[in-house]
Amino acid sequence: STIKEKLFTSIIESTNAGNDKVTVVGVGQVGLACAFSILSKKISSDVVLIDVLKDKLKGEMLDLQHGSSFLENAKVNASTDFAASAGSKICIVTAGARQREGETRLDLVQRNTEIFKGIIPKLVQHSPNTILLIVSNPVDILTYVAWKLSGLPKNRVIGSGTHLDSARFRFLIAQKFNIAPTSVHSWIIGEHGDTSVPVWSGVNIAGVRLRDIDPTVGTECDQEKWNEIHKQVISSAYEVIKLKGYTSWAIGLACANLTSAILRNSNQIHAVSTLVCGFHGIEHEVFLSLPCSLCIDGIACVVEQSLTCEERQMLHTSANTMTNSIKNLKI
Ligand SMILES: NC(=O)c1ccc[n+]([C@@H]2O[C@H](COP(=O)([O-])OP(=O)(O)OC[C@H]3O[C@@H](n4cnc5c(N)ncnc54)[C@H](O)[C@@H]3O)[C@@H](O)[C@H]2O)c1
Ligand SMILES: O=C1N[C@](c2ccsc2)(c2cccc(Nc3ccc(F)cc3)n2)CC(O)=C1Sc1ccccc1Cl
């Protein structure tokens, strides 16, 4: 008999997935930053990577496995076969094509929708109780596509939405005050990216609203130009792309933060993309970001903030443009 047979007496065949299993689809810059953040912050001890690039997949898996003893012995697996994702509590989707030169956003959305048709049904087939966390862009439309393709209830289909936008927003405001970003209570909601909605009426430090100090904060006519901060949230995304060609760390950490909130059944509240029909007078079936509490079953509740009519109007504008984009989409 082998050394192993002499060394061990098997009691049970431990093959079941851990109850913190997370699958990351797409091992590009964002997917790897997600996986590495989740592993290094001990958020999951069982991570599976899925992609179509066999060698890249195996290389990243081996490289992470070699670090297992520094990752609290977390298990890292990878496969091009979705069966490897079976039993995942959360499936994070970062797969997608990059915008080509001169490609319209609608072409990109259709291309990513085709990619999703080959991903979403397989994830749900192998993990029928999973929560989908969509990151691929345009994230709000693709979260809607994932919801349609998956047939999952709306609480279990979440887009990273304006979680990253809000994180950049808090960081920039914190820099102005020289305080910690987690001590800045500020929310960006609506459509992720260029047309997001900063809720200036709610920005507060220790419950003191900036608007109570100066009612013009965040408006076109405020002396201190606070609304420049929201413009900087957008320009900093382009700046990072210009400087390093992609973004990874902030979005990876943001997704790890959402993964942790869900797996710990925390009811933490984050701005994530959810089905917003019925909120703020929106009637269309569209996904936009609102503050949502996150638990082991996904979205537990949505916070109905009081918005100014400008803030509400911006949400409706996004909802209308998204409804049009979705109408032209073949899902
Ligand atoms: N929501 C946000 O805040 C946010 C922030 C940054 C990036 N993103 C988005 O994340 C996505 C990924 O960005 P990236 O820089 O990692 O791109 P990338 O091109 O580096 O990686 C994409 C990966 O997807 C894989 N892929 C393609 N088709 C696939 C399929 N059918 N099945 C499995 N894997 C497939 C590719 O092989 C590649 O490894 C992009 O859509 C980007 O716009 C979103
Ligand atoms: O930090 C990013 N980087 C990306 C990126 C990452 C790799 S290539 C481009 C980025 C940066 C700048 C613009 C932009 N636009 C875009 C719009 C629709 C798409 F389908 C894809 C990309 N995307 C992807 C993305 O969503 C972000 S966050 C972001 C973007 C624009 C404005 C505000 C924020 Cl908070």
Side-chain angles (χ1 to χ4, degrees):
S1 59
T2 64
I3 290 175
K4 183 177 177 183
E5 283 160 345
K6 288 195 176 104
L7 200 52
F8 299 106
T9 302
S10 171
I11 304 297
I12 54 163
E13 276 304 306
S14 64
T15 51
N16 287 347
N19 57 15
D20 66 354
K21 183 170 178 177
V22 174
T23 286
V24 177
V25 184
V27 290
Q29 309 297 350
V30 173
L32 285 172
C34 286
F36 185 75
S37 302
I38 285 166
L39 286 163
S40 55
K41 291 163 71 78
K42 326 280 189 234
I43 291 166
S44 168
S45 60
D46 189 355
V47 172
V48 168
L49 309 175
I50 304 256
D51 201 299
V52 288
L53 304 172
K54 272 186 178 311
D55 291 354
K56 166 82 168 155
L57 204 50
K58 187 168 182 189
E60 295 296 355
M61 177 191 75
L62 289 174
D63 201 4
L64 282 166
Q65 284 175 341
H66 298 158
S68 298
S69 48
F70 314 116
L71 295 173
E72 300 280 294
N73 308 304
K75 286 199 286 297
V76 182
N77 283 301
S79 175
T80 54
D81 179 352
F82 282 80
S85 68
S88 293
K89 280 282 181 300
I90 300 174
C91 294
I92 303 173
V93 184
T94 73
R98 282 241 181 103
Q99 213 152 351
R100 290 174 183 147
E101 276 306 306
E103 182 178 39
T104 66
R105 285 215 17 207
L106 201 59
D107 295 342
L108 175 73
V109 178
Q110 192 56 57
R111 224 152 39 96
N112 278 336
T113 297
E114 294 313 314
I115 288 174
F116 269 39
K117 286 177 183 172
I119 293 174
I120 301 300
K122 290 175 187 165
L123 288 174
V124 176
Q125 174 199 339
H126 292 288
S127 307
N129 300 318
T130 197
I131 288 166
L132 295 176
L133 175 56
I134 308 303
V135 186
S136 311
N137 262 322
V139 64
D140 299 299
I141 294 179
L142 289 179
T143 307
Y144 171 88
V145 169
W147 177 56
K148 283 292 178 189
L149 291 171
S150 68
L152 294 179
K154 62 183 178 182
N155 56 293
R156 289 206 270 128
V157 184
I158 304 169
S160 60
T162 57
H163 191 42
L164 172 59
D165 315 54
S166 298
R168 287 186 170 136
F169 193 43
R170 310 168 80 154
F171 168 74
L172 292 168
I173 294 175
Q175 265 195 326
K176 290 260 291 190
F177 286 130
N178 193 19
I179 56 165
T182 52
S183 300
V184 174
H185 307 292
S186 58
W187 296 85
I188 289 187
I189 62 173
E191 193 175 352
H192 164 70
D194 297 348
T195 52
S196 63
V197 181
V199 185
W200 281 108
S201 51
V203 178
N204 76 86
I205 314 287
V208 179
R209 294 195 313 175
L210 305 193
R211 275 273 166 87
D212 290 344
I213 299 170
D214 173 351
T216 69
V217 161
T219 66
E220 287 305 313
C221 56
D222 87 1
Q223 306 298 322
E224 296 181 20
K225 298 204 169 313
W226 284 90
N227 64 335
E228 283 300 312
I229 294 242
H230 178 243
K231 294 192 176 91
Q232 243 184 297
V233 167
I234 295 163
S235 61
S236 57
Y238 288 86
E239 185 182 11
V240 171
I241 295 301
K242 188 164 129 280
L243 293 169
K244 66 178 262 191
Y246 56 90
T247 44
S248 53
W249 301 124
I251 183 59
L253 288 162
C255 291
N257 174 246
L258 296 176
T259 302
S260 173
I262 293 166
L263 287 181
R264 296 170 62 89
N265 197 28
S266 67
N267 284 107
Q268 282 170 26
I269 296 176
H270 296 299
V272 291
S273 198
T274 186
L275 192 61
V276 293
C277 58
F279 292 104
H280 301 297
I282 295 168
E283 268 120 40
H284 304 295
E285 271 196 342
V286 287
F287 279 70
L288 291 172
S289 288
L290 291 176
C292 298
S293 79
L294 299 175
C295 68
I296 193 66
D297 295 314
I299 292 177
C301 64
V302 176
V303 176
E304 300 205 54
Q305 297 166 301
S306 50
L307 301 178
T308 64
C309 38
E310 293 81 16
E311 289 160 351
R312 191 183 158 96
Q313 185 46 52
M314 289 169 81
L315 284 187
H316 279 254
T317 305
S318 284
N320 295 334
T321 47
M322 281 182 56
T323 305
N324 292 333
S325 308
I326 288 167
K327 230 180 280 172
N328 302 327
L329 218 42
K330 288 185 288 304
I331 298 176

